[in-house]
Amino acid sequence: LKNFFTFGYQYCKEYHTHFKFDIEQESGTESQSTHSLFVQDEMDFSPLNVMLGTRIDNHNKWGTVVNPNGGLLYRLTDDLKLRGSVGRAFKEPPMCHLYTVDLFQSTHWTRANPDLEPEKSWGYQIGAEYEIGDDFTTKVAFFRNDIEDMIEQYDTGEDSIYAGSNYPIYSYKNIDEVYTQGVEFVIQQQFSDWESARLGYTWLESRDLSLIH
């Protein structure tokens, strides 16, 4: 048994400054901080490799979140490998989505939503990798992501009145339940140590489950 153990710590501090366009808006600077701890253990049980890990984020706004993940790699032959993985993910809203006052973006104004919730998801993937000779590799993978509170930009139906303009106002909202799934196919040719070519195709299906229930 061979083990490769990885761990680490990360601290992130972000600041966001926004300005007012009229007397009804407020300007100011917001900040947020995150402490993150991650651990991962890769175990070699040849021909099977196992990877187990987790990431723990402590956010001053969203609290503590634990995101476990795991993966398997099985060498069926010297040329054929089977892979599978599952993991949880957490994505906080960008600060500009939470705090920016109306911002003009070429064809519309964008308005922040301070009530946005973070995205939470589980992702699953299974696939195979086949090497044809030493230089040519093909890969195929099937994947699915189940997402809660996905953040989406939408048209509020309002028009901006700044400087007499009539541009629409967009904002952001959470969608309760969404899934994305599909298949990815990749071929890669290695011509030399410094030259290679890669061609890929992805078929993707996504659906808002709140429109079905």
Side-chain angles (χ1 to χ4, degrees):
L1 172 64
K2 297 179 181 179
N3 275 74
F4 185 74
F5 189 75
T6 306
F7 68 93
Y9 167 79
Q10 179 183 17
Y11 174 72
C12 180
K13 182 79 171 183
E14 298 178 273
Y15 296 91
H16 179 80
T17 301
H18 49 277
F19 305 93
K20 62 183 180 180
F21 282 88
D22 61 31
I23 59 174
E24 295 180 357
Q25 295 179 340
E26 296 182 0
S27 62
T29 298
E30 305 287 345
S31 67
Q32 64 184 27
S33 60
T34 308
H35 297 267
S36 301
L37 177 69
F38 54 91
V39 293
Q40 181 174 290
D41 190 12
E42 297 180 48
M43 296 163 280
D44 186 354
F45 300 94
S46 293
L48 176 67
N49 279 43
V50 179
M51 186 278 293
L52 297 174
T54 192
R55 180 185 176 98
I56 303 173
D57 294 312
N58 181 263
H59 197 289
N60 67 321
K61 182 177 177 64
W62 313 111
T64 300
V65 182
V66 180
N67 296 312
N69 60 84
L72 298 174
L73 167 64
Y74 187 77
R75 296 177 178 85
L76 198 61
T77 68
D78 290 341
D79 300 324
L80 179 60
K81 302 174 185 176
L82 305 180
R83 300 178 183 270
S85 64
V86 59
R88 186 180 188 271
F90 172 89
K91 180 182 178 183
E92 65 266 19
M95 294 188 72
C96 59
H97 289 11
L98 292 169
Y99 304 115
T100 300
V101 294
D102 291 5
L103 176 68
F104 187 64
Q105 294 184 306
S106 181
T107 59
H108 62 273
W109 290 82
T110 300
R111 176 177 296 167
N113 178 2
D115 297 321
L116 283 176
E117 294 292 329
E119 293 182 353
K120 300 166 285 289
S121 65
W122 280 95
Y124 314 88
Q125 182 169 294
I126 186 170
E129 177 181 326
Y130 186 64
E131 297 180 4
I132 304 173
D134 296 329
D135 304 322
F136 190 78
T137 304
T138 62
K139 301 178 183 179
V140 62
F142 301 88
F143 61 88
R144 180 181 172 100
N145 299 291
D146 293 308
I147 308 168
E148 295 181 10
D149 293 322
M150 190 182 83
I151 298 172
E152 181 186 60
Q153 189 179 60
Y154 74 103
D155 188 343
T156 65
E158 303 175 50
D159 290 331
S160 172
I161 60 173
Y162 301 126
S165 67
N166 291 314
Y167 292 104
I169 298 176
Y170 285 69
S171 188
Y172 303 93
K173 64 180 180 179
N174 291 111
I175 302 177
D176 291 338
E177 294 181 84
V178 174
Y179 77 76
T180 62
Q181 62 184 15
V183 59
E184 182 179 30
F185 179 73
V186 175
I187 57 174
Q188 181 170 322
Q189 175 70 50
Q190 190 73 36
F191 299 106
S192 66
D193 292 340
W194 54 272
E195 186 179 19
S196 65
R198 184 177 184 273
L199 178 65
Y201 173 79
T202 301
W203 176 84
L204 178 67
E205 177 193 26
S206 60
R207 183 165 296 187
D208 181 353
L209 295 177
S210 63
L211 300 178
I212 301 175
H213 299 331

